[in-house]
């Protein structure tokens, strides 16, 4: 009798294990493969700008690696906040992603009230690229170096244009003003192209501009370049010193781009996106394509990018507070 009960128990356990395995395999088989439909990459700025150009190049390659189309959607307004809020409130399923820039870090201090939290509402995937800006002056400005420009600015007010109040190009000028005591008067525009037009016409005297729009005019002799704003020289203009090298010790400010998902996105999805993005960012073709417009691709782990965002929030917040720049 005992032998019979033991055999029955073994048979029951074997049947239960088989059933459990079958149910597990069935459940696994029913789970959809990620991604099984097109993805959306939300860009905070208009088509044609530096953020959009980099985002579209990356989206095309990443979509190919994922086996799905990646559609770029430009959600413009409020310094990027419309796009940031939209993604923060989107489903955390890995199908709506954000292509953020330095504005994610600056807006936290620039704006008194935001409907999202830059740290709590996003799952960082990877850093994508970094790019310095270039300090340029109209040829009529009697300054051939940064130190000469500072000396001139201490004698008389100089006007500098930017792509808008609170933008990185505005903060670059305010940072120079704060660190040197030069008299710089900010003139905000609606975009970098308008700044370029007025700078070339002599309406404003200097500006910090994106490499992509400034370099052709520098080579044509229509603008004079004095320095770049990154920590290191850029391959785009290798003979041009950094602001630090040019005499403003400790000056460094650049624009960065990174990809994030809504907070709560499953970790396997974040890891898959990071893995494929890492492969995209080392492809020679896209690296050269981005380098041609002054962008240096720079991938990271999701953990490192998370730490980077936290550091940038503090650093850019300090710069915003020192400049007294605000947006009501």
């Amino acid at each position: 009798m005992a032998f019979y009960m033991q055999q029955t128990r073994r048979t029951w356990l074997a049947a239960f294990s088989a059933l459990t395995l079958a149910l597990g395999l069935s459940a696994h088989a029913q789970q959809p493969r990620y991604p099984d439909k097109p993805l959306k990459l939300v860009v905070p700025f208009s088509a044609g700008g530096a953020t959009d150009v980099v985002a579209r190049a990356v989206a095309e390659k990443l979509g190919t690696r994922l086996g799905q189309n990646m559609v770029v959607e430009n959600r413009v307004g409020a310094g990027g906040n419309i796009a940031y809020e939209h993604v923060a409130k989107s489903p955390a399923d890995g199908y709506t992603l954000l292509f953020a820039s330095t504005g994610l870090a600056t807006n936290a201090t620039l704006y008194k009230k935001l409907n999202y939290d830059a740290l709590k509402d996003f799952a960082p995937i990877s850093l994508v690229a970094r790019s310095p800006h270039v300090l340029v002056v109209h040829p009529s400005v009697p300054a051939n170096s940064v130190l000469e420009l500072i000396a001139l600015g201490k004698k008389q007010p100089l006007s500098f244009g930017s792509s808008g109040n609170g933008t990185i190009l505005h903060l670059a000028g305010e940072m120079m003003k704060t660190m040197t005591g030069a008299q710089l008067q900010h003139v905000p525009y609606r975009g970098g192209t308008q700044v370029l037009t007025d700078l070339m016409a002599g309406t404003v005297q200097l500006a910090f501009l994106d490499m992509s729009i400034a370099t052709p005019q520098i080579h044509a002799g229509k603008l004079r370049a004095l320095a770049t704003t990154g920590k290191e020289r850029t391959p785009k203009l290798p003979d041009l010193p950094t602001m630090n090298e040019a005499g403003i010790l400790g000056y460094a400010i650049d624009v960065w781009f990174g990809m994030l998902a809504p907070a709560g996105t499953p970790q396997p999805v974040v890891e898959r996106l990071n893995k494929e993005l890492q492969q995209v960012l080392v492809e020679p073709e896209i690296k050269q394509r981005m380098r041609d417009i002054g962008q240096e691709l720079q991938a990271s782990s999701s953990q490192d990018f998370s730490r980077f965002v936290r550091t940038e929030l503090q650093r850019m917040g300090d710069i915003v507070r020192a400049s007294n720049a605000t947006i009501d």
Side-chain angles (χ1 to χ4, degrees):
M1 182 69 177
F3 175 78
Y4 174 77
M5 290 180 65
Q6 186 177 16
Q7 288 293 98
T8 302
R9 182 172 180 273
R10 287 176 179 172
T11 302
W12 182 87
L13 288 173
F16 179 78
S17 297
L19 178 61
T20 301
L21 177 62
L23 289 173
L25 290 173
S26 175
H28 179 75
Q30 291 175 5
Q31 290 179 356
R33 180 183 66 86
Y34 174 84
D36 65 348
K37 61 182 180 180
L39 296 88
K40 180 172 67 176
L41 183 61
V42 179
V43 176
F45 302 106
S46 59
T51 310
D52 179 74
V53 169
V54 179
R56 289 180 185 275
V58 170
E60 179 184 358
K61 295 286 187 179
L62 182 57
T64 298
R65 290 196 63 87
L66 291 170
Q68 292 287 344
N69 289 331
M70 180 170 277
V71 180
V72 173
E73 180 180 293
N74 300 91
R75 283 186 172 258
V76 183
N81 288 330
I82 290 177
Y84 299 147
E85 182 181 348
H86 171 74
V87 175
K89 295 181 178 180
S90 294
D93 56 9
Y95 288 96
T96 300
L97 306 174
L98 173 66
F99 199 78
S101 70
T102 315
L104 182 67
T106 59
N107 287 2
T109 305
L110 279 169
Y111 290 83
K112 294 180 180 178
K113 183 179 180 181
L114 295 174
N115 294 320
Y116 65 89
D117 187 299
L119 286 177
K120 297 179 181 179
D121 291 338
F122 299 103
I125 296 170
S126 176
L127 187 65
V128 171
R130 299 187 73 164
S131 173
H133 294 102
V134 56
L135 170 59
V136 288
V137 298
H138 186 269
S140 65
V141 175
N144 293 301
S145 70
V146 171
L147 291 181
E148 289 181 1
L149 184 66
I150 294 170
L152 182 64
K154 288 183 177 181
K155 294 178 181 177
Q156 64 186 60
L158 299 173
S159 59
F160 81 96
S162 85
S163 52
N165 191 31
T167 62
I168 193 72
L169 302 179
H170 172 209
L171 294 176
E174 294 291 347
M175 189 172 171
M176 178 178 172
K177 177 181 177 180
T178 300
M179 294 180 71
T180 67
Q183 303 175 72
L184 302 181
Q185 297 179 340
H186 179 225
V187 182
Y189 290 84
R190 291 185 177 272
T193 302
Q194 293 175 320
V195 179
L196 179 66
T197 300
D198 270 15
L199 179 59
M200 292 173 62
T203 305
V204 291
Q205 294 165 288
L206 62 105
F208 291 85
L209 294 178
D210 291 335
M211 302 286 292
S212 58
I213 68 170
T215 303
Q217 309 308 326
I218 294 169
H219 290 325
K222 296 179 180 179
L223 294 175
R224 183 186 308 127
L226 301 184
T228 55
T229 65
K231 292 183 179 180
E232 300 175 351
R233 294 194 182 196
T234 171
K236 188 73 172 173
L237 296 168
D239 296 329
L240 203 61
T242 64
M243 294 285 281
N244 181 72
E245 291 174 328
I248 307 181
L249 300 181
Y251 187 108
I253 187 170
D254 59 9
V255 64
W256 54 262
F257 302 114
M259 192 174 293
L260 304 96
T265 298
Q267 189 59 30
V269 171
V270 172
E271 291 173 358
R272 172 79 192 283
L273 289 167
N274 178 272
K275 176 185 175 182
E276 301 299 348
L277 189 54
Q278 294 261 3
Q279 294 300 312
V280 166
L281 298 179
V282 297
E283 290 186 19
E285 184 269 335
I286 191 172
K287 287 183 71 174
Q288 187 58 53
R289 184 175 165 190
M290 292 295 98
R291 186 164 290 175
D292 288 343
I293 60 172
Q295 299 289 338
E296 288 295 319
L297 298 181
Q298 187 175 338
S300 70
S301 68
S302 58
Q303 294 82 3
D304 284 345
F305 186 40
S306 179
R307 287 188 285 269
F308 174 83
V309 171
R310 187 177 296 274
T311 299
E312 280 293 282
L313 280 165
Q314 180 62 52
R315 188 176 79 93
M316 296 309 299
D318 291 342
I319 292 173
V320 171
R321 284 184 285 269
S323 72
N324 294 316
T326 59
I327 296 178
D328 296 327

